[in-house]
Amino acid sequence: MPVTWFPTSQLLWVRIAAVLFTCTAFSVVANGGWLPHGGMADWCIFSWAFSFACTLLVLLVEQCSLQSRIPVSWSNFPITVACYASLLCLSASIIFPVFFLKGQNLSQEVRDHRIASTVFSCLATVAYMVEVSLSKARPGEVAGYMKTAPGLMKVCQTFVACIIFILVSDPVSYDHHPALKWCMAVYCICFILSMAVVVLCVGECTGCLPVPFSKFLSAYGLLAVIMYLSATILWPIFQFDKKYSRGGDQTKLIAVAVLTGLNFLLYLADLAYSARLVFVSV
């Protein structure tokens, strides 16, 4: 009987494809893309490199059967990595052509390298989305929290908050009125608590809370919905009303308003799911 090191499974080949696509994306652009240092260029390179490294780690651990030696919940860690990687690669697939292809006066070789990186970034995004689809919990299945819809929404909530932080900090656009400082406090508090939930689940520490994890999620979900509702109302009023506005980059301010509304909807859906979800923390 032939001995094979790699078992054949859809999930395995999707991960191998994601590793190859992300590796190619940052290798091609690093070799001949001639990107500037800093800013969005570093973000795109980080997105591809981080996704590549984490997925390669997941592959090696699973194929060497080292899950029991890794101090994390293996029912939660791989899908968390895949979800963050899909969002990172998606953002890079949008940012890279907008900033480094559109309207750029480039030599044919440099343009070809950048186009190739964009294509492989899009392919990596698709691969990670397929991995998330294959890994997520099915209806009625008892699974780790991060495989459920609320768990995946926690990842989206923290990612959207990170984008908001980038937009409001360069230049600082929340320091000219107390209501805007409250909005920033909402973004920070909800980000910290959502990230804490992700870390607790991946680190198998949900039992360390002084209250049952399900009750903590319900209480926090309700609090986050109320806080984000206030930010969704206050941010547009104090940024776009002529009585309070001090100008600034309107595109970024509008993007923050849209992302605030998006996160409000994510927290609202999260609360609705959490209220009726039955899961087992592993």
Side-chain angles (χ1 to χ4, degrees):
M1 180 183 295
V3 177
T4 56
W5 187 56
F6 284 111
T8 55
S9 73
Q10 286 182 312
L11 200 55
L12 170 67
W13 294 114
V14 167
R15 285 173 179 159
I16 291 174
V19 166
L20 293 175
F21 293 150
T22 50
C23 182
T24 305
F26 73 76
S27 298
V28 168
V29 79
N31 185 50
W34 294 99
L35 289 180
H37 293 291
M40 293 302 180
D42 285 354
W43 172 260
C44 293
I45 294 292
F46 165 78
S47 297
W48 298 324
F50 176 84
S51 302
F52 165 77
C54 289
T55 308
L56 184 60
L57 173 65
V58 170
L59 270 175
L60 292 175
V61 169
E62 291 208 337
Q63 301 316 310
C64 296
S65 300
L66 299 174
Q67 295 94 321
S68 61
R69 301 190 180 187
I70 305 296
V72 297
S73 168
W74 205 253
S75 65
N76 288 311
F77 181 74
I79 194 169
T80 304
V81 167
C83 195
Y84 273 118
S86 67
L87 294 171
L88 286 168
C89 290
L90 176 61
S91 69
S93 299
I94 296 169
I95 291 169
F96 193 77
V98 170
F99 281 83
F100 305 111
L101 273 173
K102 184 181 178 182
Q104 298 283 316
N105 185 20
L106 306 168
S107 68
Q108 189 59 45
E109 182 182 358
V110 172
R111 178 174 292 276
D112 288 346
H113 278 77
R114 294 186 180 185
I115 290 172
S117 287
T118 303
V119 170
F120 280 104
S121 181
C122 293
L123 290 173
T125 303
V126 173
Y128 282 118
M129 288 181 174
V130 171
E131 180 181 349
V132 171
S133 178
L134 291 173
S135 302
K136 69 180 182 180
R138 301 291 181 262
E141 178 185 353
V142 177
Y145 180 75
M146 297 308 298
K147 288 187 175 183
T148 64
L152 296 175
M153 280 189 282
K154 291 288 187 300
V155 174
C156 295
Q157 291 158 8
T158 55
F159 186 82
V160 171
C162 287
I163 302 299
I164 291 175
F165 293 148
I166 294 170
L167 293 173
V168 301
S169 60
D170 185 25
V172 174
S173 56
Y174 56 86
D175 61 347
H176 61 280
H177 196 282
L180 297 176
K181 293 180 180 179
W182 163 253
C183 293
M184 189 61 185
V186 169
Y187 304 145
C188 292
I189 293 169
C190 293
F191 169 79
I192 291 170
L193 289 174
S194 289
M195 185 55 74
V197 170
V198 174
V199 171
L200 285 171
C201 291
V202 172
E204 297 186 296
C205 300
T206 55
C208 299
L209 292 172
V211 295
F213 187 53
S214 57
K215 290 185 178 179
F216 169 77
L217 288 175
S218 299
Y220 157 56
L222 180 60
L223 176 65
V225 166
I226 294 171
M227 293 176 72
Y228 255 95
L229 176 60
S230 68
T232 303
I233 296 169
L234 293 174
W235 183 268
I237 291 175
F238 289 91
Q239 288 290 9
F240 305 124
D241 192 312
K242 293 181 179 178
K243 186 168 30 173
Y244 305 107
S245 175
R246 68 170 188 183
D249 189 334
Q250 292 297 303
T251 303
K252 287 186 176 181
L253 297 179
I254 292 171
V256 171
V258 171
L259 291 174
T260 302
L262 174 61
N263 243 4
F264 167 68
L265 293 176
L266 285 171
Y267 278 106
L268 188 62
D270 186 1
L271 178 63
Y273 268 102
S274 296
R276 62 185 180 83
L277 182 69
V278 177
F279 66 91
V280 173
S281 295
V282 215

